[in-house]
């Protein structure tokens, strides 16, 4: 009846008169109060999932793409021209410093070494005879000095021949993993020909670039994490070791080198990695991003003030940085505050809630929903 009266009056009067009429009738309409309209009597509590505001390690991420390089890497080649007589690796083996990897034909050098050794014996005998004669004053001092000089000359020749023989053995200069071989026994090699590759992969160098505007945020020792498509579930930790001394005038970026431990030998030189730098590391208050209700430029959350009575209150907060699924809270909350992380879109000032679970590191939302569904079925 009141609705019909208002409709007829609205057609005969203007908006101002209608507003006065509503004000006059308001004592007779207690059911139209905001609280009654928001939360009708007898409505059950709204089921929600909560999450505690906790202090966590936080940083402002800076992402880039980088390429891996071995801690030490070398391409081994011969310094002489000759044929290959032995290859002591197949590829992929771990070798130690000093291990002989490739042997070249050294028959001619060994023959020259034997000749020099025989000549040394002859010169040594001559020195001994002259020394005996000089003791009896039967040989001039100049003869024995000349003989000793000739002996020293032969010794120098022997040292040179032994050094040249080392050139016919290609050895590992450090511990590492040898690459796949591309040569065969009998091949003629010359200086500069690639015989083997050797990489020290116990630690990896990760080279990447960042914009010059971020130079102030870089420092040696700054922590970072890196991921690769080869191992999508793994995160590799490292830190900045070197910052380039120059900025590229074309790209306006600066080169950075980080070091990553590779004890499991999973990383290989040449791999592409996505790098995340942890700038401004700090401890901060964190809540799930799903708990934040955006209201224009303001951000708010629903805080559960009483679990037993299901009371909630809307509270404006200050929001800082964001990362996947989480948001940094700069003001408005304290550690331990319980906020509504799922179901906040159905709440209003007069709502009461039923907390069906609290999501944390050990329990996610799907576990809570599954447990609730199983309980309802039982």
């Amino acid at each position: 009846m009141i609705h019909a009266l208002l409709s007829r009056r609205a057609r005969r009067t203007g908006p101002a008169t209608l507003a006065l009429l509503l004000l006059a009738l308001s004592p007779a309409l207690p059911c139209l109060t905001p609280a009654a309209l928001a939360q009708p009597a007898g409505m059950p509590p709204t089921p929600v999932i909560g999450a505690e505001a906790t202090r966590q390690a936080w940083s402002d991420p800076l992402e880039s793409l980088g390429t891996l390089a071995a801690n030490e890497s070398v391409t081994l080649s011969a310094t002489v021209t000759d044929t290959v007589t032995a290859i002591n690796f197949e590829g992929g083996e771990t070798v130690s410093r000093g291990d002989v990897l490739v042997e070249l034909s050294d028959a001619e050098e060994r023959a020259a070494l034997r000749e020099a050794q025989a000549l040394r014996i002859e010169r040594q005998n001559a020195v001994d005879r002259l020394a005996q004669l000089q003791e009896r004053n039967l040989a001039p001092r100049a003869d024995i000095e000349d003989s000793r000089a000739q002996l020293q000359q032969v010794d120098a020749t022997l040292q040179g021949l032994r050094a040249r023989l080392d050139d016919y053995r290609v050895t590992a200069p450090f511990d590492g993993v040898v690459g796949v071989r591309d040569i065969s026994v009998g091949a003629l090699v010359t200086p500069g020909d690639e015989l083997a590759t050797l990489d020290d992969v116990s630690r990896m160098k990760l080279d990447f670039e960042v914009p010059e505007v971020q130079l102030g945020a870089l420092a040696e020792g700054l922590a970072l994490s890196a991921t690769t498509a080869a191992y999508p579930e793994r995160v590799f930790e490292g830190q900045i070791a070197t910052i380039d001394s120059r900025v590229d005038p074309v790209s306006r970026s600066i080169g950075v080198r980080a070091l990553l431990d590779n004890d499991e030998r999973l990383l290989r030189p040449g791999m592409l990695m996505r790098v995340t730098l942890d700038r401004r590391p700090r401890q901060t208050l964190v809540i799930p991003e799903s708990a934040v209700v955006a209201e224009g430029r303001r951000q708010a959350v629903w805080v559960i003030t009483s679990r037993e009575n299901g009371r909630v209150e809307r509270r404006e907060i200050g929001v800082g940085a964001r990362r996947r699924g989480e948001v940094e809270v700069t003001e408005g909350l304290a550690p331990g505050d319980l906020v509504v992380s799922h179901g906040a879109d159905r709440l209003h000032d007069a709502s009461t809630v039923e907390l069906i679970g609290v999501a944390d590191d050990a329990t996610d939302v799907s576990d809570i929903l599954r447990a609730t569904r199983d309980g309802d079925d039982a």
Side-chain angles (χ1 to χ4, degrees):
M1 177 178 178
I2 294 175
H3 183 271
L5 176 62
L6 291 175
S7 299
R8 291 195 299 271
R9 180 70 63 178
R11 286 194 295 268
R12 294 197 300 267
T13 63
T17 306
L18 179 59
L20 293 174
L21 181 60
L22 286 173
L23 182 62
L25 291 175
S26 59
L29 300 174
C31 60
L32 297 179
T33 60
L37 288 174
Q39 183 75 16
M43 177 174 288
T46 303
V48 297
I49 296 175
E52 286 191 358
T54 58
R55 285 202 170 273
Q56 299 181 21
W58 192 278
S59 62
D60 298 331
L62 174 62
E63 295 187 347
S64 181
L65 292 177
T67 302
L68 283 175
N71 184 44
E72 299 290 348
S73 183
V74 66
T75 298
L76 301 174
S77 60
T79 58
V80 296
T81 300
D82 223 308
T83 57
V84 177
T85 58
I87 301 174
N88 302 324
F89 70 95
E90 288 298 326
E93 301 99 325
T94 299
V95 298
S96 301
R97 179 180 179 180
D99 288 351
V100 178
L101 303 180
V102 180
E103 301 178 31
L104 303 179
S105 177
D106 58 357
E108 184 177 349
E109 297 300 323
R110 288 196 176 277
L113 178 63
R114 290 192 296 270
E115 180 182 359
Q117 289 172 337
L119 181 59
R120 187 189 188 285
I121 294 174
E122 179 184 342
R123 295 291 171 83
Q124 182 65 57
N125 292 336
V127 170
D128 294 340
R129 287 194 302 270
L130 288 173
Q132 293 173 2
L133 291 174
Q134 188 187 29
E135 289 177 358
R136 291 179 292 179
N137 295 322
L138 297 177
R141 181 179 297 273
D143 290 347
I144 191 171
E145 290 178 354
D146 291 342
S147 181
R148 286 174 177 171
Q150 293 174 358
L151 179 61
Q152 292 175 353
Q153 183 180 7
V154 173
D155 287 339
T157 302
L158 283 171
Q159 290 179 358
L161 289 172
R162 292 190 180 101
R164 291 184 60 184
L165 279 173
D166 291 340
D167 293 338
Y168 291 81
R169 302 289 184 271
V170 179
T171 60
F174 50 80
D175 298 347
V177 179
V178 67
V180 178
R181 69 181 180 95
D182 292 325
I183 58 171
S184 300
V185 173
L188 177 66
V189 297
T190 58
D193 289 348
E194 179 179 328
L195 302 182
T197 59
L198 183 66
D199 297 305
D200 174 14
V201 294
S202 60
R203 177 180 289 186
M204 303 298 293
K205 297 174 182 176
L206 179 58
D207 296 326
F208 58 96
E209 294 183 344
V210 298
E212 65 171 317
V213 296
Q214 302 293 343
L215 181 58
L218 302 179
E220 294 184 5
L222 184 65
L224 57 83
S225 59
T227 58
T228 176
Y231 308 102
E233 303 300 325
R234 293 289 302 269
V235 177
F236 299 89
E237 305 292 338
Q239 59 183 9
I240 292 179
T242 307
I243 301 173
D244 201 350
S245 59
R246 298 182 179 182
V247 174
D248 190 327
V250 178
S251 63
R252 296 299 176 187
S253 60
I254 188 168
V256 180
R257 171 168 290 177
L259 294 179
L260 306 179
D261 288 332
N262 191 29
D263 296 334
E264 299 180 50
R265 302 297 193 270
L266 298 178
L267 302 176
R268 304 291 179 90
M271 293 177 68
L272 178 69
M273 301 199 79
R274 182 175 295 277
V275 187
T276 302
L277 282 170
D278 299 328
R279 298 177 299 165
R280 295 178 57 233
R282 59 193 181 276
Q283 290 288 325
T284 191
L285 200 61
V286 179
I287 61 173
E289 193 173 19
S290 57
V292 180
V293 180
E295 300 176 352
R297 295 185 177 180
R298 296 181 297 178
Q299 311 288 332
V301 294
W302 288 96
V303 181
I304 302 176
T305 57
S306 174
R307 298 192 186 192
E308 294 78 11
N309 300 326
R311 289 197 296 268
V312 293
E313 70 174 18
R314 178 186 167 279
R315 189 180 301 174
E316 290 190 10
I317 61 171
V319 173
R322 296 174 184 258
R323 62 189 181 193
R324 182 177 298 179
E326 294 180 324
V327 63
E328 178 187 20
V329 178
T330 57
E331 59 180 355
L333 290 178
D337 284 347
L338 188 62
V339 299
V340 177
S341 62
H342 291 78
D345 55 334
R346 294 175 292 171
L347 301 181
H348 38 72
D349 291 337
S351 294
T352 58
V353 299
E354 176 190 359
L355 184 64
I356 63 174
V358 177
D360 52 25
D361 294 337
T363 306
D364 58 21
V365 175
S366 59
D367 295 333
I368 296 173
L369 295 177
R370 189 181 304 110
T372 303
R373 184 174 62 252
D374 295 342
D376 293 341
D377 294 341

